[in-house]
Amino acid sequence: MDPHLQGIGMTSPRTRERMTKRLSEQGISNTRVLAAMREIPRHIFVDEALASRAYEDSSLPIGYNQTISQPYIVAKMTELLLASGPLTKVLEIGTGCGYQTAVLAKLVEHVYTVERILPLFKKAKDHLWDLKLKNIHYLYSDGSNGWQDHAPYDGILVSAAPLEIPRTLLAQLAEGGVMIIPVGKQGSEQTLQRITRTADGYKTELLEPVTFVPFVSGKE
Ligand code: SAH
């Protein structure tokens, strides 16, 4: 493997191993999720100056006022998404640096990822390409519209917080499908929610308090 991808010292496989051990102590129990996070080099998704902090349990800046979610949140959202069984098509809104995308790509058949900030979109694509993840499909667009061409999805993961869940996204969820999404104002309490589409509607579960950047309409 390319030594930069593999990592050394603070970015080494041993550091990743310690991160996954901490995640399981924090309650993450899905062994496939833990294995994916042990494998994906998180440090390549952040600026070189921050690489040594990539495996700490904190969110980090990725530019354009955006952040890479902390490892615990990535693990938790992925575990919640996968709880009902294997997934074929997952829509991700907010590619950001692409780390969550990479973790998903290891665990589901196809990932459809949408980002509204062009430089982030391009950089994420390059990094994901370096990892040779070929089951990722990319769209530079406002995620409020989802990605109709490939709908319905059996999973939708949103990594920015809207005040209300966009109807279009709900409509693109397959029956039996699950959406994991933070909802609420920035600066006040946001709640992670799990929405399950049933035969006659949607079931909502409120999960835990979280802090996400805002879900924004339009493209940049
Ligand atoms: N999972 C990402 C999170 C990045 S932060 C990571 O770990 O890097 C959230 C991302 O959502 C930002 O990149 C932001 O630009 C994007 N975003 C916010 N609103 C969006 C929208 N309406 N459509 C698409 N992307 C959006």
Side-chain angles (χ1 to χ4, degrees):
M1 198 189 203
D2 176 323
H4 172 62
L5 297 182
Q6 172 88 7
I8 51 160
M10 289 304 283
T11 62
S12 68
R14 269 203 14 233
T15 312
R16 273 196 292 289
E17 181 61 43
R18 275 199 295 276
M19 176 188 75
T20 42
K21 188 158 176 279
R22 200 173 59 226
L23 290 171
S24 58
E25 285 161 6
Q26 288 170 302
I28 304 299
S29 59
N30 184 319
T31 52
R32 291 186 66 223
V33 173
L34 291 168
M37 293 190 62
R38 192 179 297 119
E39 190 177 346
I40 301 292
R42 184 170 156 93
H43 63 277
I44 69 161
F45 292 94
V46 297
D47 263 12
E48 230 163 300
L50 292 173
S52 65
R53 300 187 50 201
Y55 299 99
E56 291 174 8
D57 198 28
S58 56
S59 56
L60 294 170
I62 55 172
Y64 309 91
N65 284 325
Q66 306 303 320
T67 53
I68 176 174
S69 305
Q70 68 189 99
Y72 170 77
I73 284 293
V74 172
K76 185 71 191 176
M77 289 176 84
T78 312
E79 182 170 86
L80 288 165
L81 191 75
L82 294 175
S84 54
L87 300 178
T88 310
K89 289 203 287 181
V90 170
L91 174 67
E92 179 193 34
I93 307 296
T95 318
C97 69
Y99 176 68
Q100 169 82 72
T101 322
V103 172
L104 284 173
K106 287 281 173 195
L107 298 166
V108 307
E109 253 175 71
H110 292 280
V111 183
Y112 297 86
T113 188
V114 182
E115 172 57 53
R116 63 177 290 281
I117 299 179
L118 190 58
L120 283 178
F121 175 77
K122 286 184 172 162
K123 218 198 255 184
K125 212 168 166 180
D126 286 347
H127 289 146
L128 292 163
W129 191 254
D130 288 344
L131 293 180
K132 302 188 167 52
L133 297 167
K134 301 285 164 61
N135 57 338
I136 304 174
H137 313 270
Y138 303 88
L139 181 67
Y140 164 55
S141 176
D142 176 356
S144 319
N145 306 319
W147 192 345
Q148 183 60 44
D149 296 356
H150 304 283
Y153 301 94
D154 46 14
I156 299 182
L157 190 153
V158 183
S159 43
L163 299 179
E164 266 178 54
I165 303 175
R167 281 171 180 279
T168 315
L169 290 184
L170 289 169
Q172 290 180 11
L173 197 59
E175 195 180 313
V178 169
M179 183 190 304
I180 307 296
I181 182 168
V183 181
K185 257 204 221 141
Q186 212 195 6
S188 64
E189 195 147 290
Q190 300 170 348
T191 309
L192 194 63
Q193 301 192 4
R194 173 162 56 191
I195 316 293
T196 308
R197 187 164 191 172
T198 61
D200 50 7
Y202 297 89
K203 181 179 97 179
T204 302
E205 294 163 90
L206 306 182
L207 302 169
E208 55 188 273
V210 285
T211 308
F212 275 83
V213 295
F215 189 98
V216 181
S217 323
K219 288 199 280 184
E220 280 177 36

